[in-house]
Amino acid sequence: MPNNPEITVGQLSSRSGVAVSALHFYESKGLIRSRRTAGNQRRFSRDTLRRIAFIRVSQRVGIPLRAIQEALSALPDERTPTREDWARLSAMWQHELDDRIRQLERLRHGLTECIACGCLSLDRCALANPDDVAAASGPGSRLMVAPRRECAPDCGPE
Amino acid sequence: MPNNPEITVGQLSSRSGVAVSALHFYESKGLIRSRRTAGNQRRFSRDTLRRIAFIRVSQRVGIPLRAIQEALSALPDERTPTREDWARLSAMWQHELDDRIRQLERLRHGLTECIACGCLSLDRCALANPDDVAAASGPGSRLMVAPRRECAPDCGPE
DNA sequence: CCCTGACCTCAACTTAGATTGAGGTTATCG
DNA sequence: CGATAACCTCAATCTAAGTTGAGGTCAGGG
């Protein structure tokens, strides 16, 4: 089985569960690469499967394709990536993931308080005016959360 | 100040931090409502601010506008919503939020293991083949995660 | 040899959540 | 009264992440 080193787009699709059209799309975005046969058909090397696994995992973390592409471009260009190469890449997302979990937990905490007071006041509630929505959505992402203020007595409905 | 009960779209925008165009958009989607003046300008009641706070918080949780609209439609139609009304609504998202946190934590756990083994194999890694991506994105959301299999010795690069 | 299924390209369409612009009206300040 | 800022509608555009379809080619089996 390690004898036929290349696979077709259809095989790649059925093995990865990703539609052929999506694979074309990924290739057009530079996330995967292929060689062409004499008849202009794509042939993928086996480690493309691993690339796709990485892409799917990354998408689950919430990373946009654009950023995944940039991460993948850190892989060695002609040598087949080693286990360490992949581990290094995966570690990158772990920070992202930690951040996102922390954000959601802050949000959950805030929501609990705000349910208690029923407030949801734009001025006072940490939940409004987030400033950390854009995490992992672009280069200059801002990660701060405004310091919480107390829910004031008048922050319920008038 | 509680004397002028209505605000313009510009005031709503600057107080909420949401662009006027977005407010128009929200109104077109039925998330907020307005009265019109003789000159066809929008006038919003004050509790629209709270609606917008709710919308923003919900978006942070990852709820699509469509679902936010449905939730908001549970608010009383002519009476100003009470603190309890809002609390009831907010509580709905808490379950969503818990789910999402749990998912991300599972993902993080899996990622840690996969970093250790460097695998990311489509066949063996729980991280590929998720089946729980679509949580909170549509009515029949599937929440299962495939039972984990061990990372096998050959799941590193060949 | 020819049929069929897998493959090719390219353009158009999809959904979500808006933003931008054109062209025109209203409200307010001095 | 006039300038200007804020408002109005409606259509077009944008990004992300693809899917769908038209029209045409390639490869392998019977």
Side-chain angles (χ1 to χ4, degrees), chain A residues 36-104:
Chain A
R36 295 305 177 102
T37 66
N40 195 35
Q41 298 198 352
R42 289 169 177 87
R43 287 302 177 268
F44 296 91
S45 68
R46 248 147 217 300
D47 56 292
T48 308
L49 279 164
R50 217 167 306 260
R51 268 183 180 253
I52 290 175
F54 181 78
I55 293 166
R56 304 238 286 165
V57 171
S58 306
Q59 286 193 299
R60 286 231 284 155
V61 181
I63 315 281
L65 282 189
R66 185 58 218 285
I68 301 175
Q69 190 268 306
E70 275 162 28
L72 282 172
S73 72
L75 284 178
D77 216 43
E78 265 324 310
R79 145 174 86 77
T80 296
T82 65
R83 170 173 322 212
E84 283 73 30
D85 291 324
W86 288 114
R88 189 162 30 79
L89 247 59
S90 303
M92 294 174 50
W93 292 167
Q94 199 145 35
H95 302 307
E96 294 283 348
L97 205 40
D98 285 346
D99 283 349
R100 283 136 119 353
I101 290 174
R102 237 177 289 116
Q103 274 174 48
L104 285 186

Side-chain angles (χ1 to χ4, degrees), chain A residues 83-84 87, chain B residues 111-121 125 151-152 155-157:
Chain A
R83 170 173 322 212
E84 283 73 30
Chain B
L111 197 50
T112 307
E113 288 187 13
C114 276
I115 286 172
C117 99
C119 82
L120 279 176
S121 161
C125 203
C151 279
C155 81

Side-chain angles (χ1 to χ4, degrees), chain B residues 12-33:
Chain B
L12 190 55
S13 170
S14 59
R15 285 184 181 227
S16 65
V18 172
V20 170
S21 61
L23 295 173
H24 286 176
F25 178 72
Y26 291 162
E27 189 177 34
S28 80
K29 296 288 176 184
L31 288 133
I32 56 180
R33 269 167 306 147

Side-chain angles (χ1 to χ4, degrees), chain A residues 12 15-17 46-47 49-50 52-54 56-57 59-61 80-84 86-88 90-94 97-98 100-101 103-105 107-109 111-112 114-123 126-133 145 152-158, chain B residues 12 15-17 46-50 52-54 56-57 59-61 80-84 86-88 90-94 97-98 100-101 103-105 107-109 111-112 114-123 126-133 145 153-158:
Chain A
L12 190 56
R15 285 186 182 227
S16 65
R46 248 147 217 300
D47 56 292
L49 279 164
R50 217 167 306 260
I52 290 175
F54 181 78
R56 304 238 286 165
V57 171
Q59 286 193 299
R60 286 231 284 155
V61 181
T80 296
T82 65
R83 170 173 322 212
E84 283 73 30
W86 288 114
R88 189 162 30 79
S90 303
M92 294 174 50
W93 292 167
Q94 199 145 35
L97 205 40
D98 285 346
R100 283 136 119 353
I101 290 174
Q103 274 174 48
L104 285 186
E105 268 163 359
L107 187 53
R108 209 202 93 96
H109 179 68
L111 198 50
T112 307
C114 276
I115 286 172
C117 99
C119 83
L120 280 175
S121 161
L122 273 170
D123 294 336
L127 297 181
N129 310 309
D131 281 329
D132 62 350
V133 193
V145 166
D154 67 326
C155 82
E158 46 267 50
Chain B
L12 190 55
R15 285 184 181 227
S16 65
R46 250 147 215 298
D47 56 291
T48 307
L49 279 163
R50 215 167 308 259
I52 290 174
F54 181 77
R56 304 239 285 164
V57 169
Q59 285 193 300
R60 287 230 286 154
V61 180
T80 296
T82 65
R83 171 172 320 212
E84 282 74 31
W86 287 115
R88 189 163 30 78
S90 302
M92 294 174 49
W93 293 167
Q94 199 144 35
L97 204 41
D98 285 345
R100 285 141 118 350
I101 290 174
Q103 273 174 47
L104 285 185
E105 268 163 359
L107 187 53
R108 208 203 93 95
H109 180 67
L111 197 50
T112 307
C114 276
I115 286 172
C117 99
C119 82
L120 279 176
S121 161
L122 272 171
D123 294 336
L127 296 182
N129 310 311
D131 282 330
D132 63 348
V133 194
V145 166
D154 67 326
C155 81
E158 48 267 43

